Amino acid sequence: MAAANVFTRPFSVRLMKPFDPALKKGATLDMRSKKRLKCCSYGKSTELCEEWLFDSSQRGGVRNMPFSSPKSWLAHKQEKFFSRCSPRNSGLQSRDSPPKRDTGIANEKDWDIGLLNENVNESGVNEDGTSWYRESGEELGDNGYRCRWTTMGGQCHDGTSEWKETWWEKSDWTGYKELGVEKSGRNAEGDSWWETWKEVLHHDEWSNLARIERSAQKQAKSETEKAGWSETWWEKYDAKGCTEKGAHKYGYLKEQSWWEKWGEHYDGRGSVLKWTDKWAETETGTKWGDKWEERFFVGIGSRHGETWHVYPSGERWSRTWGEEHFGNSKVHKFGKSNRGESWDIIVDEETYYESEPHYGWADVVGDSTQLLSIQPREKPPGVFPEFGSHSLHQQSD
């Protein structure tokens, strides 16, 4: 599967961690060889900035520029594919395009979902031999379940390239509402992609607390480039201010692979948890990564993390670090590495963290007007909804 900006480097790596007291304030260590560790302090923030660039000729590391330039190979292929295969002089034009990396979860307005109000089953062939089809319908089930859907797609005359897109909206008598999209495509060069997006409104069975959840999954692969990537994103919001966000990412290019996971949780009462875990490896046995976590509540909390590297020989380098914030402008900083580094100090430093998400309940409600406007089936008098019903998860693929 393929996408724009598919193969930028997994992570450079540029990692922000507490300043190592072993370095004097304002000092900079910059080793200009291909294999370098760059440490820099930034005034009072006393943070450590590291950049690793491992040369493939030294100890099995990866190249300085392991991946192709930001101008993706797919952009050209996508242009060729759609100029050749998009239906011309027809009422249905190809809407499909490969997903892009690191774009998170789109808002519903970006999808321009337009479900048809009647059942449709139509198809056609264009002058250049490309074919297309469009279908729509409605499915009904128990507990007031209703799913309205539209599917469309097309392919080239020889069948080597095709695209497909499906829209749907679901609802039932519990107040459950769902809006979603799934799209996929492939071309003659062996590139293929798949993407799905969904947002859901539901209510807690006991408290009737309203929740909105959004998610997206994206995949792209190139057979000729021996490369691909996948991402899963999710966001959860409730009317009391609780917010949860996260993502899992994976990619590979020839002999190199990389992973990234991160998450955020705001409980709506001032408690915050954030974490990140990144790592990469090559077929030669080189591995490296970085992870950190922070927890805070009313100005008191902690941060800790680890940066590590494993060489093909099996030798491992690791540095761990931590911070304890007491809420009184005093911070305990400590850490060590397996190369003999260590520090353990208390410094005067203000504590900063984000106690509230930059995008919360009010924002997601404002961006979910189409979801909230879904009309459920009329409920007969005396009929009560069954919470926990699995009927609303029926898929109309």
Side-chain angles (χ1 to χ4, degrees):
M1 301 178 180
N5 295 328
V6 170
F7 303 121
T8 54
R9 67 182 70 181
F11 47 96
S12 297
V13 177
R14 292 189 66 84
L15 309 170
M16 302 302 295
K17 296 188 297 299
F19 177 61
D20 187 340
L23 297 174
K24 296 181 180 180
K25 182 176 180 181
T28 297
L29 171 64
D30 190 353
M31 301 168 61
R32 295 294 180 179
S33 62
K34 288 186 178 180
K35 178 187 175 197
R36 69 178 184 261
L37 175 65
K38 180 181 179 183
C39 304
C40 43
S41 121
Y42 300 102
K44 295 182 178 179
S45 64
T46 58
E47 292 176 313
L48 174 65
C49 166
E50 288 190 343
E51 181 181 7
W52 297 340
L53 294 176
F54 298 102
D55 181 30
S56 58
S57 65
Q58 300 186 24
R59 310 190 72 169
V62 300
R63 292 169 293 168
N64 286 355
M65 291 295 293
F67 307 121
S68 61
S69 64
K71 184 176 181 180
S72 169
W73 52 268
L74 179 66
H76 175 61
K77 293 183 177 181
Q78 177 183 340
E79 181 181 354
K80 288 199 307 179
F81 171 50
F82 292 117
S83 63
R84 185 176 72 246
C85 297
S86 295
R88 291 197 292 265
N89 301 322
S90 72
L92 177 61
Q93 298 293 323
S94 171
R95 289 168 46 95
D96 189 59
S97 60
K100 296 181 180 180
R101 289 184 58 198
D102 287 321
T103 52
I105 304 175
N107 290 327
E108 61 181 32
K109 64 180 180 181
D110 299 319
W111 285 106
D112 191 24
I113 300 171
L115 292 162
L116 301 177
N117 293 321
E118 57 185 10
N119 292 346
V120 169
N121 189 341
E122 58 185 2
S123 60
V125 179
N126 302 299
E127 294 178 0
D128 59 1
T130 58
S131 59
W132 60 270
Y133 68 89
R134 177 165 53 192
E135 302 172 358
S136 66
E138 181 179 78
E139 296 181 2
L140 304 178
D142 298 334
N143 205 35
Y145 171 83
R146 177 167 64 182
C147 175
R148 297 174 57 225
W149 57 271
T150 296
T151 296
M152 65 195 81
Q155 65 178 18
C156 286
H157 66 281
D158 58 4
T160 57
S161 301
E162 63 179 354
W163 64 275
K164 180 181 180 181
E165 184 166 353
T166 300
W167 306 327
W168 68 85
E169 67 173 36
K170 299 180 182 181
S171 61
D172 71 5
W173 291 334
T174 68
Y176 180 93
K177 298 181 180 182
E178 177 181 318
L179 189 67
V181 174
E182 182 175 354
K183 59 191 300 184
S184 60
R186 63 181 178 87
N187 62 24
E189 287 79 8
D191 307 325
S192 57
W193 50 89
W194 172 82
E195 180 176 10
T196 185
W197 169 93
K198 182 172 68 174
E199 62 179 2
V200 171
L201 167 70
H202 63 99
H203 296 76
D204 183 85
E205 178 179 357
W206 303 107
S207 67
N208 201 37
L209 181 67
R211 294 187 171 94
I212 293 179
E213 300 181 8
R214 306 197 305 182
S215 61
Q217 291 181 272
K218 311 174 188 183
Q219 299 177 6
K221 181 172 66 175
S222 169
E223 295 295 341
T224 56
E225 300 286 340
K226 295 184 179 179
W229 59 271
S230 64
E231 297 179 351
T232 299
W233 299 74
W234 67 90
E235 299 173 352
K236 300 179 180 180
Y237 308 87
D238 72 29
K240 285 190 174 180
C242 182
T243 300
E244 180 180 344
K245 304 179 182 182
H248 289 178
K249 307 177 188 179
Y250 165 71
Y252 67 92
L253 175 61
K254 296 181 173 63
E255 77 282 359
Q256 302 171 71
S257 301
W258 61 93
W259 294 260
E260 179 181 356
K261 298 181 179 181
W262 63 266
E264 301 177 359
H265 185 268
Y266 302 82
D267 71 351
R269 298 184 297 272
S271 180
V272 180
L273 166 65
K274 292 185 178 182
W275 62 274
T276 295
D277 191 359
K278 303 179 181 180
W279 70 100
E281 64 181 42
T282 70
E283 290 183 354
T284 62
T286 300
K287 302 178 181 180
W288 67 100
D290 177 83
K291 59 183 178 181
W292 59 265
E293 178 184 290
E294 69 175 33
R295 296 174 180 265
F296 282 96
F297 179 66
V298 294
I300 300 174
S302 65
R303 295 187 176 106
H304 62 86
E306 179 186 15
T307 302
W308 57 272
H309 184 91
V310 178
Y311 299 97
S313 63
E315 179 186 0
R316 178 183 174 90
W317 172 83
S318 172
R319 174 191 288 145
T320 58
W321 60 271
E323 298 179 357
E324 294 178 304
H325 293 252
F326 304 115
N328 58 357
S329 299
K330 298 289 185 180
V331 180
H332 177 207
K333 298 189 175 187
F334 55 92
K336 63 180 180 179
S337 78
N338 60 353
R339 298 286 175 84
E341 297 174 284
S342 66
W343 63 94
D344 192 334
I345 59 175
I346 295 179
V347 299
D348 295 322
E349 184 175 293
E350 295 297 326
T351 296
Y352 172 78
Y353 66 98
E354 295 179 340
S355 59
E356 297 180 356
H358 71 277
Y359 187 96
W361 174 254
D363 303 292
V364 74
V365 168
D367 288 334
S368 302
T369 55
Q370 188 171 357
L371 171 71
L372 300 177
S373 66
I374 295 175
Q375 295 299 315
R377 291 164 57 190
E378 184 176 350
K379 183 167 62 69
V383 175
F384 298 95
E386 298 179 14
F387 284 89
S389 170
H390 296 288
S391 64
L392 46 79
H393 298 295
Q394 297 172 2
Q395 183 68 26
S396 57
D397 294 339

